[in-house]
């Protein structure tokens, strides 16, 4: 009984649940694109009532936020290359649960905040930890999540634009062409590097990965608590009809031994 085994492991602490989700609030950092592109707002909320005349026994709010806010999923239709593909609501639930692989480039990113993940890095990961299994989500661990409560440090934009880590063009193609990779997750504001608008093609992870019907996952928390292999990820976006993306609750089941 595999579910009973998992429940027993959760009960005795040999498997723990790690929350990969950043808190979602008015101060959650959002992407800033250069002119002339439209930008997404920060989350805001308007009170309907709070135990007052408008609702004597209840409190509730109305939210305003972009689909791509905070820890969120990118659906294939987010990008022009995936425009015939799935919206958020169409993603089969079995694709949202799977094996998790973590490629750790924390040291490289500490030395170079614009570190570009290479196809060689990904091949090295498979050589060291074994072939990536069907249905896998790959997380690019950089330590960037430690900046998530400081929007300026998190976006890290200067005169030359944002400096944040991400895959190079060849790594982007590698991820999208790997037969067993369903999704690619990062700790930064987007699945592409800060400099990726100037790559050829621009924003290659979005271009190739979403174009290949796979999913992106951004602004992850607690990536430092994940093993390179052996964990299970659960990605839970809103079932938003025609949604190009959605804030998501992301959990990992991690063996503690
Ligand atoms: C639109 C254009 C560029 C980027 C993005 C959106 C995202 O980061 C996103 O959330 O998909 S880089
Ligand atoms: Mn997005």
């Amino acid at each position: 009984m595999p579910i009973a085994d998992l429940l027993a492991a959760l009960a005795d602490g040999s498997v723990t649940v790690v929350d990969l989700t950043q808190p979602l609030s008015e101060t959650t950092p959002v992407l800033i694109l250069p002119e002339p592109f439209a930008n997404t707002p920060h989350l805001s909320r308007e009170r309907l009532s709070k135990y007052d005349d408008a609702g004597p026994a209840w409190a509730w709010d109305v939210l305003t936020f972009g689909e791509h806010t905070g820890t969120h999923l990118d659906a294939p239709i987010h990008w022009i290359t995936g425009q015939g593909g799935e919206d958020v609501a169409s993603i089969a639930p079995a694709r949202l649960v799977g094996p998790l692989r973590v490629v750790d480039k924390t040291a490289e990113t500490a030395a170079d905040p614009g570190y570009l993940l290479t196809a060689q890095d990904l091949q090295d990961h498979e050589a060291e930890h074994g072939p990536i299994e069907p249905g896998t989500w790959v997380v690019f661990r950089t330590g960037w999540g430690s900046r998530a409560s400081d929007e300026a440090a998190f976006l890290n934009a200067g005169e030359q634009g944002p400096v944040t880590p991400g895959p190079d063009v060849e790594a982007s193609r590698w991820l999208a062409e790997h037969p067993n990779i369903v999704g690619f997750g990062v700790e930064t504001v987007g699945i592409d590097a800060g400099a990726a608008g100037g790559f050829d093609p621009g924003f290659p992870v979005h271009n190739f990965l979403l174009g290949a019907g796979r999913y992106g996952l951004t602004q992850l928390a607690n990536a430092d608590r994940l093993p390179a292999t052996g964990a299970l990820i659960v990605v839970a976006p809103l079932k938003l009809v025609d949604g190009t993306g959605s804030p998501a609750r992301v959990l990992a089941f991690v063996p503690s031994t």
Side-chain angles (χ1 to χ4, degrees):
M1 283 288 271
I3 300 292
D5 290 346
L6 175 59
L7 291 170
L10 287 164
D12 72 18
S14 56
V15 169
T16 58
V17 181
V18 173
D19 194 346
L20 300 184
T21 320
Q22 294 288 358
L24 180 58
S25 78
E26 287 79 353
T27 61
T28 299
V30 295
L31 179 72
I32 302 175
L33 291 170
E35 292 279 338
F37 305 122
N39 274 303
T40 190
H42 288 90
L43 178 144
S44 62
R45 53 193 133 187
E46 186 191 334
R47 177 148 297 151
L48 286 176
S49 73
K50 191 170 185 183
Y51 329 125
D52 53 20
D53 289 348
W58 52 92
W60 53 349
D61 294 341
V62 174
L63 300 178
T64 300
F65 59 93
E67 292 170 316
H68 299 253
T69 304
T71 301
H72 74 269
L73 179 137
D74 289 348
I77 62 164
H78 176 45
W79 217 252
I80 189 167
T81 50
Q83 63 184 310
E86 291 172 318
D87 66 332
V88 187
S90 300
I91 300 171
R95 305 256 289 171
L96 296 172
V97 178
L100 177 55
R101 290 297 187 103
V102 178
V103 180
D104 181 15
K105 295 296 168 190
T106 304
E108 289 79 357
T109 303
D112 172 11
Y115 181 75
L116 297 183
L117 181 72
T118 66
Q120 188 64 54
D121 291 336
L122 293 162
Q123 282 159 18
D124 289 348
H125 170 92
E126 279 201 306
E128 186 177 352
H129 299 287
I132 288 171
E133 306 93 330
T136 293
W137 289 72
V138 173
V139 165
F140 177 35
R141 177 181 162 196
T142 56
W144 209 262
S146 66
R147 301 173 179 239
S149 61
D150 177 343
E151 185 164 51
F154 188 72
L155 299 178
N156 201 37
E159 298 281 296
Q160 320 296 328
V163 180
T164 62
D168 69 12
V169 172
E170 197 191 352
S172 302
R173 194 179 281 112
W174 192 96
L175 289 164
E177 290 180 353
H178 195 296
N180 293 342
I181 294 175
V182 163
F184 177 65
V186 299
E187 297 177 64
T188 49
V189 76
I191 53 177
D192 268 293
F199 294 177
D200 183 18
F203 305 108
V205 187
H206 284 87
N207 185 304
F208 296 136
L209 193 74
L210 304 183
R214 322 296 173 86
Y215 317 117
L217 197 53
T218 70
Q219 232 156 312
L220 295 172
N222 295 317
D224 58 337
R225 294 174 55 190
L226 299 174
T229 186
L232 164 77
I233 192 171
V234 178
V235 181
L238 298 178
K239 195 164 179 173
L240 180 65
V241 175
D242 295 334
T244 72
S246 166
R249 194 67 185 255
V250 184
L251 304 175
F253 289 64
V254 178
S256 51
T257 44

